Amino acid sequence: MRNIRLYFPADLKIVPGIRNMIARTALTFGFSERECYQVETIVDEICNNAIEHGCSRPDAEITLEYKIEPDYLEITVKDEGGKEFNPETVRQRNELLAGNGSKSLEFLEKRGHGLFIVKRLSNSLDISVGQEGTIVRVIKKKEPEGITKTE
Amino acid sequence: MINAGLSVEIRTAESDAAIKIVTLVGVLDTISAPKAEEVIDPALEQDEQNGGCLIIDCSKLAYMNSDGLALLMRYHVQKRRRNGSFKIVAPAACVKEIIEVSGAIKMLEIYKSEQEAVISWRRK
């Protein structure tokens, strides 16, 4: 098991560097290129959410923990809280997408459906909201060689 | 996998002035999507009243997140409301996967080449 812990300012400009680094690390530890893009997207979306919804102070800080196991990755992002953010509302809104395309049309052109994408790309998504902030924990399993996940 | 920045090229199709072709090169994400919008929107203003066809060439797009997808969906909705057409060309596998898992695949027209997209507009 290998753990990486990062602290970074709540600045969207920092996220591309963070997501690239973690995706590259996943590649080093045997995840496929496709899985690494998925990991890059997962990190991107949950970090952007944390910055946009979970930080009210100008000098707020995001904590990212990254655990590498032989057959899975665990990514945890914690913000400081402060802004109104109800992940359940976001999740319910995103669920509309899965069923009826026409009803989702206006929704899709708006921002904020990143969590839905994270849920679809990961094996587990857990969100806990407390007074000290929101913690998003994602597990991404390594697919056995030769097996490609299809929707 | 090292992705940074986006360049946007906009042109009118030689064969049909109603077709605008936008080529995106690089990364369409939370940082670059608003900048892309600033460049693309003014170019679309001229044919806003007539609908027209907007083709986004994604063949050189290396990465896209939900904010990039939201931008594509905005143009899709805009064109649909004005009786125009919106088409996406040759997204890379990682970009197409975002379109698929989001459910947007049910709404967007995706073509393998610019030529195919143009032909589909003419058949409309």
Side-chain angles (χ1 to χ4, degrees):
Chain A
M1 184 179 80
R2 294 170 173 84
N3 286 336
I4 297 170
R5 183 174 293 171
L6 298 169
Y7 302 94
F8 59 94
D11 184 341
L12 291 171
K13 291 195 289 293
I14 292 175
V15 176
I18 303 277
R19 72 178 190 231
N20 272 316
M21 185 202 71
I22 291 180
R24 280 195 163 265
T25 310
L27 194 64
T28 306
F29 284 92
F31 282 77
S32 71
E33 199 161 316
R34 176 170 178 245
E35 289 165 337
C36 291
Y37 276 117
Q38 293 171 339
V39 167
E40 183 170 0
T41 305
I42 289 166
V43 172
D44 192 14
E45 300 291 354
I46 56 178
C47 286
N48 289 336
N49 264 344
I51 292 169
E52 292 185 341
H53 303 291
C55 299
S56 53
R57 294 187 303 123
D59 57 346
E61 197 171 62
I62 305 292
T63 305
L64 187 149
E65 288 181 20
Y66 181 47
K67 187 191 290 182
I68 305 166
E69 297 284 359
D71 55 350
Y72 73 91
L73 303 174
E74 184 176 319
I75 302 158
T76 305
V77 172
K78 183 179 181 305
D79 62 46
E80 296 182 352
K83 286 186 186 173
E84 270 190 42
F85 172 56
N86 185 344
E88 188 54 35
T89 305
V90 174
R91 212 159 36 192
Q92 285 172 1
R93 203 171 50 153
N94 286 342
E95 293 293 352
L96 289 173
L97 267 173
N100 190 327
S102 59
K103 278 187 181 171
S104 331
L105 195 62
E106 289 197 359
F107 165 69
L108 258 178
E109 74 176 301
K110 291 172 186 157
R111 302 176 64 231
H113 41 281
L115 272 184
F116 178 76
I117 290 173
V118 170
K119 188 178 176 186
R120 298 292 300 274
L121 294 180
S122 62
N123 299 95
S124 164
L125 168 64
D126 177 60
I127 302 166
S128 59
V129 184
Q131 287 190 333
E132 293 180 356
T134 300
I135 300 171
V136 179
R137 183 172 288 114
V138 174
I139 290 177
K140 176 68 185 169
K141 291 181 184 169
K142 190 187 287 182
E143 285 167 20
E145 273 185 53
I147 295 178
T148 305
K149 186 179 170 187
T150 53
E151 295 296 334
Chain B
M1 197 177 294
I2 289 291
N3 304 317
L6 178 78
S7 68
V8 181
E9 180 198 291
I10 305 171
R11 62 191 165 88
T12 302
E14 288 177 14
S15 58
D16 190 336
I19 303 175
K20 283 275 191 307
I21 300 165
V22 175
T23 304
L24 301 175
V25 182
V27 172
L28 188 60
D29 64 3
T30 307
I31 305 295
S32 63
K35 294 174 184 170
E37 200 170 21
E38 282 176 19
V39 176
I40 298 168
D41 281 3
L44 297 182
E45 277 173 12
Q46 301 162 7
D47 54 14
E48 275 304 272
Q49 302 304 318
N50 302 321
C53 177
L54 173 61
I55 296 173
I56 304 260
D57 182 347
C58 294
S59 61
K60 293 172 184 167
L61 197 57
Y63 177 84
M64 182 179 79
N65 73 0
S66 64
D67 288 324
L69 176 65
L71 182 65
L72 298 187
M73 290 308 300
R74 189 171 81 73
Y75 290 129
H76 167 71
V77 171
Q78 193 175 306
K79 284 295 176 189
R80 188 169 144 151
R81 285 180 184 147
R82 294 183 167 97
N83 206 27
S85 191
F86 177 72
K87 300 168 194 300
I88 292 173
V89 167
C94 62
V95 173
K96 194 172 180 188
E97 184 164 33
I98 298 301
I99 295 172
E100 286 170 347
V101 300
S102 68
I105 191 81
K106 289 179 281 189
M107 301 164 228
L108 297 175
E109 290 179 47
I110 299 178
Y111 296 88
K112 287 180 184 168
S113 68
E114 184 184 308
Q115 190 183 9
E116 278 187 22
V118 169
I119 289 170
S120 77
W121 162 250
R122 286 186 183 146
R123 283 180 183 157
K124 189 185 169 189

